[in-house]
Amino acid sequence: MRKLILHSLNKRRVQSLATMLSVTVSVAVLLALFLVYQGVTEGIATSKQRLGADILVIPAQAETMLTDTDLLFTGAPAVIYMTEDVAGQVAGIDGVVRVTPQFFGQTLNESCCSSTGEVRLIGFDPESDWLIQPWTDQLIGRKLAADEIIIGSNVGGFEAASANILGNPVQVAARLDFTGTSMDQSILMDMDTVRAFSKNIAGYDHFWARYGEPETLVSALLVQVEEGRSAAVAYQISRLGKFKVIEQSSVFKEIQGQMQVVFLIMLGCGILLVLASIFQLFGRFLSMAWDRKSELGLYRALGARKQDLRRLIAGEALLLTVGGILLGLAAGGGLYRLVLNLLQTQSTFPFRAPGSPTLAAGVFGLVCLFSLISFIAVSVPLGQVGRIDPSLAIQRGDID
């Protein structure tokens, strides 16, 4: 029976390949779409959890340099400063729970540091910070030393434990997981150390002449407020001076809206592919019995039972479906990696790679879906096979 099934498929290789290809493409697109959607969803959830700040306050001029998304997820990876006393003013506003400052150094590259590409140097205050410090507690189990750094997932050139930044030796304490944001191209370090590094950078004297000594400056304030007070506190902060005030909820809402539009379009394409596969499977499996009545009648005349013909049709359908699913899963994995590389390059959305349970659930769901479609599609020709009259089928002379 196995040889007969393979011979039949090989004899109709164009139709067989077309059927298998339709299943392969549908499975690949749906698997990649599922994994990317789950990764972005988990990335947004993780970013919300890690961010932990309701409001970001930065100098007004940063608004013309970067998007709200980059500003929220990485602070402001640009040389912008305001005086540190603003933190005390913000902390005094009714509804503010706590405030922590961050200081941004210059964008680093291989000409000054161990990095292999452009990365952003972000300094945080270990005493008041509740955002980055939990990462360090989880990654290294203690506070970050003054000469230690935590590097983003895409920061290259720091593979060794020791490295240098602006001519100063540093120790790599840990590497962050991939997030799909600009944090992947960032280096986190003690704020006072970043200030000291920045003070001695050649050509930065005009910044200190304009803003003051780096020891008295910050680049951003991250603010946690009481529940339901975000909008009111943001309004009060905006009245303090020329600041850009970004609310976490509005940025996440914008990201989720963009994500939904993109994935709705992709989901529509995936549904169309599935429908095309369904029509292809139904058409191909129906033709197995309808267009081969003489052939199947001849088998019956030679002694084949109805069960044997059903096994032949079911075997062909099984091979086409299983082959298409397996190829689709492999192609879907490759397509997912391509999309993931694009996200890593463009930092389009926050992203966290789905774990093994999510991957297993996606694979299991697709296998069940296309197995069910195949079973329904092949059930009709299996019923037709049992009603074939051998003598009448042979008389028609349409042997394949």
Side-chain angles (χ1 to χ4, degrees):
M1 181 62 69
R2 184 177 59 183
K3 291 182 178 180
L4 189 59
I5 292 173
L6 294 175
H7 171 75
S8 179
L9 291 176
N10 183 62
K11 194 173 181 180
R12 302 166 181 83
R13 65 171 64 93
V14 174
Q15 299 96 316
S16 300
L17 287 176
T19 304
M20 188 179 296
L21 182 61
S22 69
V23 175
T24 298
V25 172
S26 298
V27 171
V29 171
L30 289 178
L31 178 62
L33 177 61
F34 171 77
L35 292 178
V36 171
Y37 180 82
Q38 290 296 321
V40 173
T41 302
E42 292 180 19
I44 290 178
T46 301
S47 296
K48 281 184 176 180
Q49 181 182 4
R50 286 182 170 181
L51 186 62
D54 302 300
I55 295 174
L56 175 68
V57 183
I58 54 174
Q61 63 266 34
E63 185 175 7
T64 61
M65 301 179 184
L66 299 155
T67 66
D68 285 359
T69 302
D70 275 343
L71 290 170
L72 185 62
F73 288 120
T74 69
V79 185
I80 51 174
Y81 302 106
M82 55 189 174
T83 56
E84 191 173 23
D85 59 0
V86 177
Q89 300 176 40
V90 172
I93 294 176
D94 184 37
V96 172
V97 177
R98 50 186 172 178
V99 179
T100 187
Q102 293 185 349
F103 183 96
F104 301 100
Q106 75 170 99
T107 299
L108 309 175
N109 54 45
E110 59 272 15
S111 65
C112 67
C113 315
S114 299
S115 66
T116 57
E118 289 192 350
V119 296
R120 298 160 180 130
L121 183 60
I122 302 176
F124 68 99
D125 179 21
E127 300 303 321
S128 63
D129 178 80
W130 74 93
L131 306 168
I132 298 175
Q133 189 59 49
W135 299 1
T136 65
D137 293 339
Q138 180 180 2
L139 292 170
I140 63 177
R142 55 177 172 78
K143 287 188 175 181
L144 204 64
D147 64 341
E148 289 183 322
I149 61 175
I150 294 178
I151 59 177
S153 63
N154 290 345
V155 175
F158 289 87
E159 286 73 17
S162 59
N164 81 87
I165 294 178
L166 300 170
N168 301 280
V170 295
Q171 300 294 318
V172 179
R175 180 183 291 270
L176 295 174
D177 292 335
F178 173 60
T179 66
T181 72
S182 297
M183 187 65 78
D184 297 326
Q185 288 82 34
S186 300
I187 295 176
L188 305 175
M189 196 174 191
D190 180 86
M191 186 170 69
D192 290 333
T193 305
V194 177
R195 284 168 166 171
F197 288 179
S198 300
K199 185 175 183 178
N200 300 319
I201 297 175
Y204 270 46
D205 294 341
H206 66 285
F207 285 113
W208 317 138
R210 178 180 179 183
Y211 297 109
E213 292 299 312
E215 293 84 357
T216 65
L217 302 176
V218 296
S219 297
L221 299 175
L222 291 97
V223 185
Q224 187 178 41
V225 303
E226 296 175 359
E227 184 72 25
R229 300 290 302 276
S230 180
V233 171
Y235 173 72
Q236 292 298 323
I237 295 174
S238 65
R239 298 182 62 187
L240 293 177
K242 295 182 178 180
F243 304 117
K244 170 68 174 176
V245 182
I246 303 173
E247 293 183 66
Q248 179 204 105
S249 57
S250 63
V251 174
F252 275 116
K253 185 176 181 180
E254 179 183 353
I255 291 176
Q256 287 175 323
Q258 294 173 352
M259 181 189 72
Q260 288 174 354
V261 171
V262 171
F263 281 104
L264 280 175
I265 295 173
M266 295 176 66
L267 180 60
C269 295
I271 292 174
L272 290 176
L273 284 172
V274 172
L275 291 176
S277 295
I278 292 174
F279 285 121
Q280 180 78 5
L281 287 173
F282 271 90
R284 179 71 182 96
F285 293 166
L286 281 172
S287 69
M288 288 180 177
W290 183 262
D291 295 339
R292 298 163 59 188
K293 290 181 179 179
S294 294
E295 177 188 351
L296 299 177
L298 179 60
Y299 291 150
R300 289 279 284 124
L302 294 175
R305 299 170 300 171
K306 294 180 180 180
Q307 292 83 353
D308 294 327
L309 298 185
R310 290 193 178 103
R311 287 174 56 196
L312 173 64
I313 299 298
E316 293 180 20
L318 180 65
L319 278 181
L320 291 176
T321 304
V322 172
I325 290 175
L326 293 178
L327 289 175
L329 293 176
L335 181 59
Y336 164 69
R337 296 304 305 178
L338 288 176
V339 176
L340 180 58
N341 290 336
L342 179 62
L343 286 175
Q344 288 177 316
T345 302
Q346 302 297 330
S347 297
T348 309
F349 295 115
F351 189 89
R352 184 178 179 85
S356 298
T358 302
L359 175 61
V363 170
F364 179 76
L366 285 173
V367 171
C368 290
L369 173 63
F370 280 88
S371 297
L372 178 62
I373 293 172
S374 177
F375 174 78
I376 296 174
V378 80
S379 60
V380 176
L382 288 181
Q384 290 178 336
V385 166
R387 297 192 296 269
I388 292 178
D389 185 332
S391 59
L392 181 60
I394 294 175
Q395 289 175 4
R396 291 180 178 179
D398 57 346
I399 301 176
D400 293 346

